[in-house]
Amino acid sequence: MRMFVAVTDNDWFKFLKNIKPDEVNFWQPGRRRNFRALKEGELFLFKLHSPYNYVVGGGIFVRQAFFPLSLTWDIFGIKNGRASREEFMEAIYSYRRTDMLSEPDPIIGSLVLAEPFFFQKQDWIPVPRSWSPHIVQGKTYNTGSPDGKMLYEAVQHRLVESAIAAEHQALYGKPQLIKPRLGQGGFRITVTQAYDNRCAMTGERTLPVLNAAHIKPYSKNGPHATSNGLLLRQDVHTLFDRGYITVTTDSVVEVSKRIKEDYGNGRDYYKLHGHPLLKLPERADERPSAQFLQWHNENVYVGQ
């Protein structure tokens, strides 16, 4: 299994260590660079800037995304490692060669990490001997190499000895890909990408008006899983949540007559009735679960 040790903004680490979130965004302020160092479920570790040459925590890599700065803040909020949107913007522009006037809402990268952990100072791990002081972004290690094996075992040992051990059972034992438990931000990212930034029912592509909708609500024990999500335009999302629209287990849209009865309109929405979803995820495991769709049909949809 691979691990990536990333050179980390010290203030980002300190802030997130204090709030202990369920997920974090390791943001990339510069131009687009595809991150190919890890697969989903591999270990992403944090190393502070020199002279603090230590691995100080990490998380489970979920995926990379590129969104406008404003939307990135809306998705992750303080899980971006800053206390306010203004502080986040200031941090982004401090790494860029542009300013707010010339580039008011730049596209930035996000490396979404689930189940993050943050070590106490006495548990920090010295970087392997193969780490070069000239490394700017990070370095990939493999658990099949001596340094990689040592680093992985050191992380395991710290987790076993710490109070956060129970939250990271999947990291114990033989190195393997881990199925990350998504948070709300990770859910929004994975659903948005699974549907290729398009509303599943209307095909709308304008990102600011697209929502990652839970089929079975999180408040009703619906998981933050891509198979429990649909990417929907805001108005369609509202009607879906209120039961005026549903999707059958064979991915066909149904629109209730109650929209007209309750509001005296709904013509634009009735055009969707009886049509299959315009967009489905390519990966079978990310497509809407029949179990969750059936739950929505039986417990939320107000019927014909």
Side-chain angles (χ1 to χ4, degrees):
M1 188 180 82
R2 293 176 301 177
M3 298 170 290
F4 186 75
V5 178
V7 178
T8 305
D9 180 274
N10 294 11
D11 291 336
W12 179 91
F13 172 78
K14 291 176 185 177
F15 180 87
L16 292 169
K17 182 177 181 293
N18 285 333
I19 66 172
K20 297 179 174 62
D22 61 344
E23 62 181 352
V24 299
N25 178 25
F26 191 92
W27 40 265
Q28 301 168 297
R31 62 185 177 88
R32 295 191 183 200
R33 287 192 178 93
N34 289 327
F35 182 75
R36 298 187 176 93
L38 297 179
K39 298 177 184 177
E40 179 180 339
E42 291 185 312
L43 194 57
F44 188 105
L45 299 173
F46 313 140
K47 181 229 173 267
L48 297 180
H49 280 284
S50 182
Y52 302 105
N53 294 312
Y54 297 91
V55 172
V56 296
I60 308 303
F61 178 68
V62 177
R63 65 181 61 193
Q64 182 185 43
F66 295 97
F67 288 128
L69 185 156
S70 59
L71 185 56
T72 303
W73 177 261
D74 289 343
I75 292 173
F76 291 104
I78 61 173
K79 297 175 187 179
N80 285 296
R82 292 296 188 272
S84 68
R85 177 171 174 165
E86 289 70 28
E87 289 184 16
F88 181 50
M89 294 174 66
E90 182 179 337
I92 294 294
Y93 285 113
S94 72
Y95 286 97
R96 297 177 70 92
R97 296 180 180 179
T98 57
D99 56 29
M100 196 179 306
L101 291 177
S102 60
E103 201 175 14
D105 200 13
I107 301 294
I108 64 172
S110 294
L111 299 179
V112 184
L113 308 178
E115 304 178 52
F117 49 89
F118 306 90
F119 296 140
Q120 298 298 326
K121 189 171 183 178
Q122 65 269 19
D123 295 325
W124 290 0
I125 303 169
V127 294
R129 287 176 293 179
S130 57
W131 181 272
S132 167
H134 303 296
I135 294 173
V136 175
Q137 294 184 328
K139 178 179 173 63
T140 302
Y141 288 90
N142 193 300
T143 53
S145 69
D147 276 354
K149 183 174 184 292
M150 178 277 296
L151 185 56
Y152 185 82
E153 290 176 350
V155 169
Q156 284 191 314
H157 177 73
R158 300 307 194 275
L159 291 173
V160 168
E161 295 295 320
S162 72
I164 58 177
E167 302 173 16
H168 300 280
Q169 293 291 335
L171 282 173
Y172 304 157
K174 184 179 178 180
Q176 60 184 331
L177 291 178
I178 299 164
K179 183 66 174 177
R181 295 194 303 265
L182 296 179
Q184 176 66 25
F187 172 76
R188 288 182 65 179
I189 291 288
T190 57
V191 170
T192 300
Q193 290 190 327
Y195 287 85
D196 194 25
N197 299 1
R198 294 178 59 192
C199 172
M201 296 185 189
T202 69
E204 179 60 56
R205 285 182 173 273
T206 308
L207 267 176
V209 301
L210 300 182
N211 296 159
H214 287 84
I215 301 170
K216 183 177 183 180
Y218 188 70
S219 62
K220 301 290 185 182
N221 297 317
H224 289 321
T226 314
S227 61
N228 186 37
L230 289 166
L231 190 65
L232 300 175
R233 198 176 65 198
Q234 285 179 0
D235 57 333
V236 177
H237 181 190
T238 299
L239 294 174
F240 183 82
D241 282 353
R242 296 185 182 182
Y244 290 105
I245 294 178
T246 195
V247 178
T248 66
T249 55
D250 55 354
S251 300
V252 173
V253 179
E254 287 193 0
V255 183
S256 173
K257 294 178 181 177
R258 285 279 301 275
I259 296 179
K260 182 172 178 58
E261 293 173 5
D262 292 352
Y263 301 107
N265 206 323
R267 181 180 60 239
D268 290 342
Y269 302 112
Y270 289 120
K271 294 176 183 177
L272 304 173
H273 183 77
H275 291 280
L277 292 177
L278 289 178
K279 179 66 180 176
L280 282 171
E282 292 185 8
R283 283 173 44 175
D285 65 325
E286 293 186 334
R287 293 171 190 160
S289 160
Q291 174 188 347
F292 297 133
L293 291 173
Q294 187 65 36
W295 186 92
H296 189 272
N297 292 336
E298 296 176 354
N299 295 276
V300 180
Y301 187 49
V302 296
Q304 294 296 323

